[in-house]
Amino acid sequence: MSSEVTTEWEDYRAAALERAAELGNRGPMRFDGRGRLEQDILDAYRRNGFYVFTGVLAQDEVDDLRREFDAILDNAPVEPEGKLDKHGRPVEFPGYYTMSTDDDGYGGGDSPKHAVVGLVSHPLMMMDSALRVYGHPKILRMVASVNGADFVPFHESIFHKGAGDGPPTRWHQDGRTHWTDDGVALEQPDGSGKTHGFNFSVSWSTCTPENCLWVVPGSHRRWRLANGGQFPPITDRLSDAVPATMAPGDCVMVNRSSLHGSYPNRSPERRITMVLGFHKRDSAIGTSTTNVHAFKKPGIQKAVTYSTDYVLRRARMIPLAIDARRQRFPDEEAFEYEGTYTGDATWNERTRSEISREGDEYWQRDITL
């Protein structure tokens, strides 16, 4: 990379970090006497469309996540759709890895020459550590504060942006359903109304401006695709975007309507973040839309109307995760889920088999809004 390009990036990076520091949307999770997120946190999230929570996970949980995920990476296929890993072993979870050799033309032609894992889909049936984080009491209290006590799931995946060769994520808005015809959000400034939910990214790496997610503050109020609009290419360094930097154990909540993306990672620091998505129950049940998540990995879509049974069967993963966490951390005060769900909520070998039963895996009822 030329010195001129490096200087341009450093200037852009410095200005973006300065903008981010002024937003007032970073700090530890704080709750009031009712167990609800403090109002200033909710206000900052609703104003900006994202919030960075610091120090959510303890180091032992970060270590468990790294250890299990590194084993999954070590067992990745050597090529897309491959059945064997680099050691010649059968891949335990074939079809769940998204791999890429394309850097979207960004970075001066230094595209990686080998397939790299950019995404692992549906980790709750692969990693006990991921399932336990899904039942983390502080995280679920935060979700209930934003989406109501009867919140429901959306989707889970792990983003892996490898050191030196991590591909970009294009600028996009995830929300596709709850907009007016002119592209105005149905979600109101106070969080009421129909919403697209939020992505909650749990980090077990150091997320720097070079490898992290970037978000445009306030962009969740209007849809860029309305009236023939387009998303900007990731080659555009948006002047109002800011990086969601994180240390291991930090998390970021991003409104799914926010414009966000990430640049190709040419740094020596890899990024690993697990996305746990959540919706309001009344924004999901009865909604007709296009689902792009209830598949082994991205690239397929289908029209769907979410029935009550569909949503309640998917919601079962919340109490299962809570019970899995209770068994590992018996002295921790467990979260009490007030939502309705279908099925047994005891985590054991039988339910482990149920959620991964071929053709009826838990993710078959993921909820795209």
PDB file of all heavy atoms in Angstrom, residues 269-281:
ATOM      1  N   GLU A 269      -4.251  -7.910  12.988  1.00  0.00           N
ATOM      2  CA  GLU A 269      -5.171  -8.281  14.066  1.00  0.00           C
ATOM      3  C   GLU A 269      -6.444  -8.874  13.466  1.00  0.00           C
ATOM      4  O   GLU A 269      -7.138  -8.231  12.683  1.00  0.00           O
ATOM      5  CB  GLU A 269      -5.534  -7.037  14.881  1.00  0.00           C
ATOM      6  CG  GLU A 269      -6.397  -7.311  16.093  1.00  0.00           C
ATOM      7  CD  GLU A 269      -5.597  -7.780  17.289  1.00  0.00           C
ATOM      8  OE1 GLU A 269      -4.536  -7.203  17.557  1.00  0.00           O
ATOM      9  OE2 GLU A 269      -6.064  -8.716  17.957  1.00  0.00           O
ATOM     10  N   ARG A 270      -6.754 -10.134  13.811  1.00  0.00           N
ATOM     11  CA  ARG A 270      -7.992 -10.721  13.314  1.00  0.00           C
ATOM     12  C   ARG A 270      -9.176 -10.222  14.133  1.00  0.00           C
ATOM     13  O   ARG A 270      -9.021  -9.793  15.283  1.00  0.00           O
ATOM     14  CB  ARG A 270      -7.941 -12.242  13.363  1.00  0.00           C
ATOM     15  CG  ARG A 270      -7.905 -12.844  14.772  1.00  0.00           C
ATOM     16  CD  ARG A 270      -8.015 -14.359  14.705  1.00  0.00           C
ATOM     17  NE  ARG A 270      -7.923 -14.967  16.032  1.00  0.00           N
ATOM     18  CZ  ARG A 270      -8.253 -16.225  16.290  1.00  0.00           C
ATOM     19  NH1 ARG A 270      -8.689 -17.005  15.315  1.00  0.00           N
ATOM     20  NH2 ARG A 270      -8.141 -16.719  17.510  1.00  0.00           N
ATOM     21  N   ARG A 271     -10.365 -10.276  13.529  1.00  0.00           N
ATOM     22  CA  ARG A 271     -11.583  -9.899  14.244  1.00  0.00           C
ATOM     23  C   ARG A 271     -12.514 -11.100  14.279  1.00  0.00           C
ATOM     24  O   ARG A 271     -12.776 -11.731  13.257  1.00  0.00           O
ATOM     25  CB  ARG A 271     -12.286  -8.742  13.536  1.00  0.00           C
ATOM     26  CG  ARG A 271     -13.707  -8.482  14.069  1.00  0.00           C
ATOM     27  CD  ARG A 271     -14.460  -7.507  13.172  1.00  0.00           C
ATOM     28  NE  ARG A 271     -15.864  -7.847  13.084  1.00  0.00           N
ATOM     29  CZ  ARG A 271     -16.662  -7.453  12.105  1.00  0.00           C
ATOM     30  NH1 ARG A 271     -16.194  -6.707  11.123  1.00  0.00           N
ATOM     31  NH2 ARG A 271     -17.925  -7.802  12.082  1.00  0.00           N
ATOM     32  N   ILE A 272     -13.017 -11.413  15.478  1.00  0.00           N
ATOM     33  CA  ILE A 272     -13.999 -12.477  15.646  1.00  0.00           C
ATOM     34  C   ILE A 272     -15.142 -11.929  16.491  1.00  0.00           C
ATOM     35  O   ILE A 272     -14.950 -11.553  17.655  1.00  0.00           O
ATOM     36  CB  ILE A 272     -13.415 -13.717  16.332  1.00  0.00           C
ATOM     37  CG1 ILE A 272     -12.084 -14.119  15.702  1.00  0.00           C
ATOM     38  CG2 ILE A 272     -14.402 -14.879  16.246  1.00  0.00           C
ATOM     39  CD1 ILE A 272     -11.360 -15.194  16.463  1.00  0.00           C
ATOM     40  N   THR A 273     -16.329 -11.870  15.921  1.00  0.00           N
ATOM     41  CA  THR A 273     -17.505 -11.384  16.636  1.00  0.00           C
ATOM     42  C   THR A 273     -18.680 -12.309  16.347  1.00  0.00           C
ATOM     43  O   THR A 273     -18.914 -12.687  15.205  1.00  0.00           O
ATOM     44  CB  THR A 273     -17.876  -9.947  16.227  1.00  0.00           C
ATOM     45  OG1 THR A 273     -17.931  -9.853  14.803  1.00  0.00           O
ATOM     46  CG2 THR A 273     -16.868  -8.943  16.752  1.00  0.00           C
ATOM     47  N   MET A 274     -19.406 -12.660  17.381  1.00  0.00           N
ATOM     48  CA  MET A 274     -20.597 -13.490  17.239  1.00  0.00           C
ATOM     49  C   MET A 274     -21.833 -12.604  17.299  1.00  0.00           C
ATOM     50  O   MET A 274     -22.005 -11.832  18.249  1.00  0.00           O
ATOM     51  CB  MET A 274     -20.664 -14.545  18.339  1.00  0.00           C
ATOM     52  CG  MET A 274     -21.908 -15.415  18.281  1.00  0.00           C
ATOM     53  SD  MET A 274     -21.874 -16.795  19.449  1.00  0.00           S
ATOM     54  CE  MET A 274     -21.857 -15.937  21.037  1.00  0.00           C
ATOM     55  N   VAL A 275     -22.687 -12.721  16.291  1.00  0.00           N
ATOM     56  CA  VAL A 275     -23.903 -11.920  16.239  1.00  0.00           C
ATOM     57  C   VAL A 275     -25.060 -12.719  16.821  1.00  0.00           C
ATOM     58  O   VAL A 275     -25.333 -13.842  16.384  1.00  0.00           O
ATOM     59  CB  VAL A 275     -24.225 -11.497  14.793  1.00  0.00           C
ATOM     60  CG1 VAL A 275     -25.579 -10.775  14.734  1.00  0.00           C
ATOM     61  CG2 VAL A 275     -23.140 -10.601  14.244  1.00  0.00           C
ATOM     62  N   LEU A 276     -25.723 -12.139  17.803  1.00  0.00           N
ATOM     63  CA  LEU A 276     -26.940 -12.681  18.397  1.00  0.00           C
ATOM     64  C   LEU A 276     -28.062 -11.700  18.097  1.00  0.00           C
ATOM     65  O   LEU A 276     -28.033 -10.585  18.605  1.00  0.00           O
ATOM     66  CB  LEU A 276     -26.788 -12.846  19.906  1.00  0.00           C
ATOM     67  CG  LEU A 276     -25.511 -13.506  20.418  1.00  0.00           C
ATOM     68  CD1 LEU A 276     -25.487 -13.467  21.946  1.00  0.00           C
ATOM     69  CD2 LEU A 276     -25.418 -14.935  19.926  1.00  0.00           C
ATOM     70  N   GLY A 277     -29.014 -12.080  17.278  1.00  0.00           N
ATOM     71  CA  GLY A 277     -30.060 -11.127  16.899  1.00  0.00           C
ATOM     72  C   GLY A 277     -31.353 -11.353  17.649  1.00  0.00           C
ATOM     73  O   GLY A 277     -31.688 -12.482  18.029  1.00  0.00           O
ATOM     74  N   PHE A 278     -32.110 -10.273  17.866  1.00  0.00           N
ATOM     75  CA  PHE A 278     -33.371 -10.357  18.595  1.00  0.00           C
ATOM     76  C   PHE A 278     -34.419  -9.434  17.971  1.00  0.00           C
ATOM     77  O   PHE A 278     -34.084  -8.402  17.395  1.00  0.00           O
ATOM     78  CB  PHE A 278     -33.167  -9.976  20.063  1.00  0.00           C
ATOM     79  CG  PHE A 278     -32.226 -10.892  20.798  1.00  0.00           C
ATOM     80  CD1 PHE A 278     -30.881 -10.580  20.919  1.00  0.00           C
ATOM     81  CD2 PHE A 278     -32.685 -12.079  21.356  1.00  0.00           C
ATOM     82  CE1 PHE A 278     -30.004 -11.417  21.590  1.00  0.00           C
ATOM     83  CE2 PHE A 278     -31.810 -12.919  22.022  1.00  0.00           C
ATOM     84  CZ  PHE A 278     -30.474 -12.593  22.148  1.00  0.00           C
ATOM     85  N   HIS A 279     -35.693  -9.840  18.127  1.00  0.00           N
ATOM     86  CA  HIS A 279     -36.817  -9.059  17.615  1.00  0.00           C
ATOM     87  C   HIS A 279     -37.867  -8.854  18.707  1.00  0.00           C
ATOM     88  O   HIS A 279     -37.902  -9.592  19.697  1.00  0.00           O
ATOM     89  CB  HIS A 279     -37.509  -9.792  16.455  1.00  0.00           C
ATOM     90  CG  HIS A 279     -36.707  -9.869  15.205  1.00  0.00           C
ATOM     91  ND1 HIS A 279     -36.210  -8.768  14.564  1.00  0.00           N
ATOM     92  CD2 HIS A 279     -36.333 -10.944  14.450  1.00  0.00           C
ATOM     93  CE1 HIS A 279     -35.569  -9.149  13.462  1.00  0.00           C
ATOM     94  NE2 HIS A 279     -35.622 -10.451  13.383  1.00  0.00           N
ATOM     95  N   LYS A 280     -38.742  -7.881  18.477  1.00  0.00           N
ATOM     96  CA  LYS A 280     -39.977  -7.794  19.242  1.00  0.00           C
ATOM     97  C   LYS A 280     -40.928  -8.879  18.740  1.00  0.00           C
ATOM     98  O   LYS A 280     -41.048  -9.100  17.533  1.00  0.00           O
ATOM     99  CB  LYS A 280     -40.644  -6.433  19.036  1.00  0.00           C
ATOM    100  CG  LYS A 280     -39.968  -5.261  19.704  1.00  0.00           C
ATOM    101  CD  LYS A 280     -40.812  -4.014  19.477  1.00  0.00           C
ATOM    102  CE  LYS A 280     -40.250  -2.795  20.188  1.00  0.00           C
ATOM    103  NZ  LYS A 280     -41.107  -1.608  19.948  1.00  0.00           N
ATOM    104  N   ARG A 281     -41.621  -9.531  19.650  1.00  0.00           N
ATOM    105  CA  ARG A 281     -42.553 -10.578  19.245  1.00  0.00           C
ATOM    106  C   ARG A 281     -43.635 -10.046  18.308  1.00  0.00           C
ATOM    107  O   ARG A 281     -43.939 -10.656  17.283  1.00  0.00           O
ATOM    108  CB  ARG A 281     -43.201 -11.209  20.484  1.00  0.00           C
ATOM    109  CG  ARG A 281     -44.108 -12.393  20.186  1.00  0.00           C
ATOM    110  CD  ARG A 281     -44.711 -12.908  21.492  1.00  0.00           C
ATOM    111  NE  ARG A 281     -43.659 -13.295  22.413  1.00  0.00           N
ATOM    112  CZ  ARG A 281     -43.228 -14.535  22.576  1.00  0.00           C
ATOM    113  NH1 ARG A 281     -43.756 -15.512  21.879  1.00  0.00           N
ATOM    114  NH2 ARG A 281     -42.282 -14.816  23.444  1.00  0.00           N
TER     115      ARG A 281
END
